[in-house]
Amino acid sequence: MIPLLSTTSYYNFLSGTMITLFVITLAVIFVYEYEVLRRPKNQG
């Protein structure tokens, strides 16, 4: 539980969460693109 005592700590927590979600999204996109490019392109 994170006590939201001030707006500064709230915005610091919010920015940290946004950065974490952005990094996770980039990692998921990178892994997905890698899996797609690793397959042979002319399967069908």
Side-chain angles (χ1 to χ4, degrees):
M1 296 305 233
I2 298 171
L4 301 176
L5 298 178
S6 63
T7 53
T8 305
S9 62
Y10 174 72
Y11 281 123
N12 283 339
F13 170 71
L14 191 63
S15 62
T17 305
M18 287 298 175
I19 291 173
T20 305
L21 288 177
F22 182 70
V23 170
I24 291 175
T25 305
L26 282 181
V28 169
I29 291 174
F30 180 75
V31 171
Y32 176 74
E33 289 292 331
Y34 178 74
E35 289 293 329
V36 168
L37 290 176
R38 196 176 58 173
R39 298 176 189 167
K41 291 184 183 299
N42 43 9
Q43 276 186 342

